[in-house]
Amino acid sequence: MVITAKGKEILEIAEEPEYVMLAKVEDLKMDMLRIVEEEEIKKIRLKTSDEATFEVEPSILKEMKRVQSLINTEAIDTSVAIPLPNITSRNLSRIIDFCWEHQYNTENLEEFKGRFLKSLNHQELKELLLAANYLNIKTLFDFLCNSFTDLIQNESPEFIRDFFNILNDTNSVKSMHAPAFQGSIDDD
Amino acid sequence: MASASGDDYDDDDAAASSKRQRFTETPTPPPSDPHAPPSPTLPFELIAEILQWVPTKRLLQLQCTCKSWQSLISDPQFAKKHLRLPPKPARLILTFASPTTREFVIRSYPLHNVFDAAPVGPTELRYPSNRRKRFDLIVGSCDGILCFAVNQSLVLLWNPCIRKFKTLPPLNNQHREGSYTIFGFGYDSFSACYKVVAVFSYECDADANGYKSEVKVLTLGTESWRVVPDFPSVVPLDESGKFVSGSVNWLAYKSSPSSVIVSLDLQKECFEEVLQPDYGDVAVLDLTLGVLRHRLCVIAHGYDLLDVWLMQDYGNRESWTKLFSFPFLETPDSFPWVKALSLSEDDQLLLEFGSKLVVYNTRDGTFDTPQIQDINDCLASEVYIESLISPCS
């Protein structure tokens, strides 16, 4: 099965075939024609942890600095898919969507980002941050970091410890305020 | 009539609403994958990356989360990274003499509220001094550190956000008849150090302008003032040096033509003259130096208008751009004290004008008074940001 979504082609899908139904049929045809004509040679295949293979076009690959450096330094055989053992097909699909929108959506990018965030639960947000860090995609990484900031803005220390899986090792119960002055300029 | 609750957003509205609202909605569970793995634990390096994006005040609260967060947030290297991203919202700081007790009072306000013309509640800051009847001068601010001149010899650096301060060693210049000291404060990115500059001027008949100046620089982290030679033969006029693009700038008087801008490059530690704009036909009666949008700004006082000039590319005379002109608030008997504090994104200019703070709307030419209590009693004003940078490290 070959399905082209905007900016990506998914050749073989072991699981979750329903997830690739992202684009309208007309868009798919147009994309396929354009990609076949112009960019077939430069595309690279990526294989996710759940054995799905994505064919990704150069403009998207450019964002993935880790994959870029693999291609540049190791002269890998592009007929073999590059394995990404830490990334699921669901997340890679999201990542490709994000990179695509970030490059080509000049008018409604903020709107897209809002929808993108809304579709993620806490666990997925963390998985994506790990994936963005692994693939070294700065735009997505910064966007997600900033989103975590909003998420923890008004939460209690207990929530934050729980959220980040942190043990409370502070001995004393400290106030949630900055420390008071120690002395002043008049003290000798 | 649409209700004011957040329940009836359609997708577009929700996307346009704040990020906060996005998160308050229950996230949709993954449509498939019933055997979801447990939520991953983020490594500490990634948490540190996330924390760099958290606003300063919030970070200080988060110190109590655990020991590793506490040491991260107080780490000077982290403070530097945190300063770089994202942009920190600016605050306005005002100093007052309390009308009842005559004590020194310092308050700060979110700058965007000052422009919004909404009533602004102050945050009272505790100045690190127990002697309350003092009126220390604000020299300037850089990366969240405020610099105060306590007197002609003593300088205080203070980050009110993290409540850390440092008094610098005294200058010990020999006090003379008519002597005065003008300070400047800035950052030298080449040596990654903050520097305080002191221009000490005194009467000297031997000099063509009747005054002589000696300049000393202290690099934060060291304990001594170093002499920087070759200050030009001019009489420095400003209340304080203005820090722009790695240089501290002063307005100075020279017998001919009249006023000059003298700068000290904080990296090379050498003086230069910054060439002024071509004021055209305007008969310039007085000049004020300032900083707007991180650029050097000159306000040229004509007979009935004030022209605001910005040097877009520091050091390049051709890059002076006249932004706009504005009239005097009242007919001046003498030239009022004018200080340009901030220029908002929608081109509103916050000014200290005489003894008042005003917002001049450059688009429709109107003046507004910010809704800040006691606004007209303020002694001094400055704009700063909230950072984790400690003057003690």
Side-chain angles (χ1 to χ4, degrees):
Chain A
M1 176 171 67
V2 178
I3 300 173
T4 311
K6 33 179 194 176
K8 63 176 182 277
E9 279 180 310
I10 300 175
L11 295 179
E12 308 148 32
I13 290 130
E15 290 171 35
E16 301 180 322
E18 76 275 19
Y19 197 72
V20 297
M21 291 183 281
L22 290 168
K24 292 175 193 160
V25 178
E26 289 304 308
D27 287 347
L28 293 179
K29 283 182 191 163
M30 291 296 289
D31 277 355
M32 265 164 93
L33 277 174
R34 190 175 54 75
I35 290 166
V36 167
E37 280 169 8
E38 296 169 15
E39 291 171 343
E40 191 153 38
I41 312 156
K42 292 176 266 174
K43 281 183 284 188
I44 297 288
R45 288 191 296 157
L46 302 175
K47 196 175 187 179
T48 58
S49 60
D50 47 354
E51 302 285 318
T53 306
F54 288 66
E55 203 160 83
V56 187
E57 67 170 78
S59 67
I60 302 296
L61 282 172
K62 202 174 66 195
E63 301 283 308
M64 304 176 178
K65 295 285 180 252
R66 187 187 182 95
V67 178
Q68 272 292 311
S69 66
L70 274 176
I71 297 167
N72 292 343
T73 57
E74 295 182 18
I76 53 154
D77 180 4
T78 46
S79 65
V80 179
I82 299 173
L84 301 174
N86 303 332
I87 298 171
T88 61
S89 58
R90 178 190 302 282
N91 284 335
L92 186 58
S93 178
R94 283 185 174 127
I95 289 167
I96 291 169
D97 271 352
F98 184 91
C99 292
W100 175 271
E101 295 282 340
H102 212 272
Q103 267 186 35
Y104 299 111
N105 185 348
T106 48
E107 284 176 12
N108 305 314
L109 186 59
E110 288 309 309
E111 195 187 316
F112 164 78
K113 284 180 173 177
R115 274 202 315 273
F116 186 84
L117 268 190
K118 223 172 138 182
S119 72
L120 300 170
N121 62 29
H122 291 174
Q123 177 183 334
E124 291 166 327
L125 201 57
K126 290 181 202 172
E127 285 174 4
L128 264 191
L129 185 76
L130 287 163
N133 182 52
Y134 177 76
L135 290 174
N136 197 358
I137 306 169
K138 188 168 168 36
T139 49
L140 178 60
F141 186 77
D142 287 354
F143 170 67
L144 292 172
C145 280
N146 203 9
S147 308
F148 273 96
T149 296
D150 292 344
L151 184 61
I152 61 173
Q153 181 58 31
N154 296 313
E155 298 295 350
S156 67
E158 290 72 29
F159 173 91
I160 287 164
R161 284 188 202 108
D162 191 50
F163 183 83
F164 287 109
N165 237 336
I166 293 170
L167 207 64
N168 182 8
D169 57 359
T170 51
N171 296 332
S172 55
V173 181
K174 296 220 168 177
S175 78
M176 290 280 276
H177 296 284
F181 279 128
Q182 309 229 316
S184 77
I185 54 169
D186 314 304
D187 296 342
D188 292 316
Chain B
M1 191 84 186
S3 94
S5 83
D7 300 326
D8 49 3
Y9 286 122
D10 63 28
D11 264 0
D12 286 348
D13 284 343
S17 70
S18 76
K19 287 173 187 165
R20 186 76 212 132
Q21 280 164 323
R22 283 177 211 145
F23 275 115
T24 52
E25 311 217 357
T26 316
T28 38
S32 60
D33 203 358
H35 310 292
S39 189
T41 297
L42 298 177
F44 185 67
E45 302 84 69
L46 284 195
I47 294 177
E49 294 279 346
I50 292 169
L51 293 182
Q52 281 174 35
W53 293 80
V54 175
T56 313
K57 274 270 151 77
R58 179 67 179 144
L59 269 182
L60 294 170
Q61 294 173 344
L62 290 177
Q63 285 193 105
C64 69
T65 308
C66 64
K67 281 178 182 164
S68 54
W69 283 34
Q70 200 172 6
S71 58
L72 177 79
I73 293 164
S74 54
D75 176 10
Q77 291 308 318
F78 177 78
K80 280 189 180 177
K81 285 187 198 161
H82 179 255
L83 180 70
R84 284 200 288 270
L85 59 124
K88 307 280 171 287
R91 295 184 71 86
L92 175 70
I93 188 165
L94 300 177
T95 66
F96 302 92
S98 155
T100 47
T101 62
R102 307 304 300 164
E103 286 185 343
F104 192 47
V105 176
I106 302 186
R107 293 182 183 141
S108 92
Y109 310 80
L111 190 61
H112 68 94
N113 286 153
V114 177
F115 284 116
D116 287 349
V120 187
T123 305
E124 195 118 352
L125 302 178
R126 204 199 126 187
Y127 191 64
S129 165
N130 294 326
R131 291 186 202 137
R132 305 304 301 269
K133 293 192 177 166
R134 58 194 306 148
F135 301 100
D136 301 353
L137 181 81
I138 303 179
V139 173
S141 82
C142 183
D143 297 344
I145 301 177
L146 288 157
C147 178
F148 282 82
V150 178
N151 55 39
Q152 276 206 51
S153 178
L154 212 55
V155 171
L156 169 81
L157 297 179
W158 175 41
N159 182 336
C161 190
I162 55 170
R163 305 188 188 192
K164 292 226 166 102
F165 72 93
K166 183 180 174 68
T167 15
L168 302 184
L171 263 164
N172 293 331
N173 284 321
Q174 193 194 345
H175 189 77
R176 301 172 199 229
E177 191 65 30
S179 66
Y180 59 94
T181 309
I182 301 175
F183 293 98
F185 174 55
Y187 183 69
D188 169 18
S189 55
F190 186 76
S191 63
C193 287
Y194 295 91
K195 291 181 175 176
V196 179
V197 187
V199 182
F200 174 68
S201 302
Y202 54 89
E203 283 180 34
C204 173
D205 295 336
D207 191 273
N209 291 306
Y211 267 84
K212 206 167 165 50
S213 300
E214 288 168 6
V215 180
K216 290 179 183 171
V217 169
L218 185 138
T219 303
L220 197 58
T222 68
E223 288 300 313
S224 61
W225 293 90
R226 289 175 289 111
V227 173
V228 177
D230 305 325
F231 189 78
S233 172
V234 295
V235 187
L237 292 173
D238 256 328
E239 169 200 47
S240 64
K242 307 290 181 281
F243 175 66
V244 175
S245 296
S247 296
V248 176
N249 301 266
W250 299 268
L251 211 56
Y253 172 81
K254 197 178 175 184
S255 49
S256 167
S258 56
S259 291
V260 289
I261 302 169
V262 176
S263 78
L264 174 69
D265 182 316
L266 288 182
Q267 179 198 332
K268 297 180 199 150
E269 296 195 353
C270 62
F271 297 100
E272 269 183 57
E273 184 183 340
V274 178
L275 295 175
Q276 293 174 55
D278 177 0
Y279 299 111
D281 298 333
V282 181
V284 177
L285 304 172
D286 197 9
L287 289 174
T288 315
L289 205 58
V291 182
L292 289 177
R293 293 183 178 160
H294 305 288
R295 292 179 173 87
L296 194 63
C297 155
V298 163
I299 300 181
H301 304 230
Y303 278 106
D304 44 14
L305 285 177
L306 297 131
D307 292 341
V308 179
W309 293 82
L310 268 201
M311 197 178 213
Q312 303 289 1
D313 173 19
Y314 183 78
N316 174 9
R317 190 190 183 186
E318 304 305 312
S319 72
W320 279 111
T321 312
K322 187 163 131 185
L323 290 188
F324 47 83
S325 304
F326 63 95
F328 286 95
L329 259 183
E330 295 135 19
T331 317
D333 347 318
S334 59
F335 300 113
W337 160 250
V338 173
K339 179 177 179 178
L341 282 165
S342 180
L343 185 58
S344 71
E345 277 177 22
D346 58 349
D347 297 328
Q348 298 187 76
L349 178 66
L350 177 65
L351 290 161
E352 205 185 318
F353 204 122
S355 58
K356 291 176 179 163
L357 278 194
V358 290
V359 172
Y360 178 68
N361 189 329
T362 64
R363 293 182 182 173
D364 60 15
T366 55
F367 286 99
D368 257 320
T369 308
Q371 301 296 301
I372 300 177
Q373 78 187 78
D374 305 332
I375 192 78
N376 292 332
D377 301 327
C378 82
L379 298 167
S381 55
E382 186 61 64
V383 170
Y384 76 108
I385 56 164
E386 288 183 331
S387 83
L388 296 171
I389 304 286
S390 170
C392 306
S393 58

